[in-house]
């Protein structure tokens, strides 16, 4: 089980993590929370309806990691090849879509990161052998979403766009300053892949 998730009887998943691994994942999840930021207005509203109908931003974030986490709904080669009028129309659609969905997307990503942090806080690594983290089916899905977000965030910092970029990461020399980030990116990818396998019927 070390380093990869295994299915639990009746659903859910388990993984053995040592103190360093727990610390790394927790630190990355906390950084992700800080990057995503608080909810609308910076605090939890007493009025759930007001929060439900709160409008989000209409422009994409300036931070490249947040752009990767919250991409435009209408983008890609078709938009780039469109006429100026069509491109403007697509930008308007993206803006409107973002305004009514980004707050919910941010809240979901915050919730997932908090589940990761709380579940890690709930296990005590004991030096030798570390600890076994056991997740319910629902927690496993939230972990999977958070691992995906963490890899997107790190991949954005490493300029990973496609599979060829990932292949180049394996060949980075040890003295490259990006190496620790690359190792985290690849390790999280392995965790994510085994967690996907545990969730498959």
């Amino acid at each position: 089980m070390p380093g990869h998730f295994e299915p639990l009887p009746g659903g859910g998943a388990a993984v053995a993590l040592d103190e360093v691994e727990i610390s790394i994942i927790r630190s990355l999840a906390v950084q992700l929370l800080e990057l995503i930021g608080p909810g609308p207005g910076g605090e939890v509203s007493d009025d759930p309806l007001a929060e439900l109908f709160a409008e989000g931003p209409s422009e994409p974030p300036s931070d490249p990691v947040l752009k990767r986490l919250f991409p435009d709904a209408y983008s890609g080669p078709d938009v780039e090849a469109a006429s100026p009028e069509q491109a403007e129309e697509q930008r308007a659609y993206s803006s409107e879509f973002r305004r009514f969905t980004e707050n919910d997307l941010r809240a979901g990503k915050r919730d997932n990161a908090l589940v990761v942090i709380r579940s890690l806080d709930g296990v005590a690594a004991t030096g030798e052998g570390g600890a076994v983290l056991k997740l319910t089916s629902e927690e496993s899905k939230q972990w999977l979403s958070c691992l995906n977000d963490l890899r997107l965030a790190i991949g954005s910092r490493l300029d990973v766009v496609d599979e060829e970029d990932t292949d180049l990461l394996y060949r980075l020399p040890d003295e490259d300053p990006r190496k620790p980030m690359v190792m985290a990116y690849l390790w999280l990818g392995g965790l994510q892949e085994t967690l996907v396998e545990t969730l498959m019927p």
Side-chain angles (χ1 to χ4, degrees):
M1 186 189 300
H4 64 273
F5 281 94
E6 291 184 2
L8 288 174
V15 63
L17 298 169
D18 63 30
E19 288 180 4
V20 173
E21 292 168 332
I22 289 171
S23 175
I24 290 170
I25 298 173
R26 190 185 188 287
S27 173
L28 290 171
V30 168
Q31 290 176 56
L32 182 66
L33 269 180
E34 291 170 352
L35 184 66
I36 292 169
E43 53 194 42
V44 178
S45 170
D46 291 334
D47 182 358
L49 283 178
E51 199 166 307
L52 180 66
F53 293 107
E55 291 185 6
S58 57
E59 294 300 318
S62 56
D63 185 289
V65 173
L66 289 175
K67 268 188 186 173
R68 183 80 64 95
L69 291 172
F70 305 103
D72 271 334
Y74 301 90
S75 61
D78 291 343
V79 174
E80 291 166 16
S83 70
E85 294 80 14
Q86 290 171 321
E88 185 57 40
E89 185 178 29
Q90 298 292 0
R91 276 192 290 275
Y93 289 152
S94 284
S95 175
E96 193 73 357
F97 186 82
R98 182 179 296 280
R99 198 157 57 93
F100 291 107
T101 60
E102 188 168 312
N103 283 345
D104 285 344
L105 290 172
R106 283 181 184 257
K109 292 180 187 300
R110 272 193 299 274
D111 289 346
N112 295 336
L114 283 170
V115 164
V116 168
I117 292 165
R118 287 174 183 148
S119 57
L120 290 173
D121 288 347
V123 295
T126 56
E128 269 186 64
V132 175
L133 174 71
K134 294 182 179 180
L135 304 172
T136 65
S137 295
E138 185 57 35
E139 288 170 337
S140 296
K141 291 173 187 170
Q142 290 179 284
W143 259 76
L144 185 61
S145 294
C146 186
L147 287 174
N148 186 60
D149 287 341
L150 292 176
R151 290 193 79 236
L152 283 173
I154 296 171
S156 178
R157 295 288 190 232
L158 293 170
D159 294 322
V160 174
V161 177
D162 54 34
E163 200 60 39
E164 283 183 19
D165 296 328
T166 303
D167 292 341
L168 292 173
L169 298 180
Y170 286 101
R171 297 195 287 275
L172 278 182
D174 288 343
E175 60 273 14
D176 192 299
R178 296 171 295 169
K179 193 73 174 186
M181 202 184 300
V182 168
M183 297 304 293
Y185 178 79
L186 298 174
W187 172 59
L188 291 174
L191 281 177
Q192 184 181 16
E193 188 175 329
T194 60
L195 186 51
V196 167
E197 288 168 4
T198 70
L199 294 173
M200 291 174 72

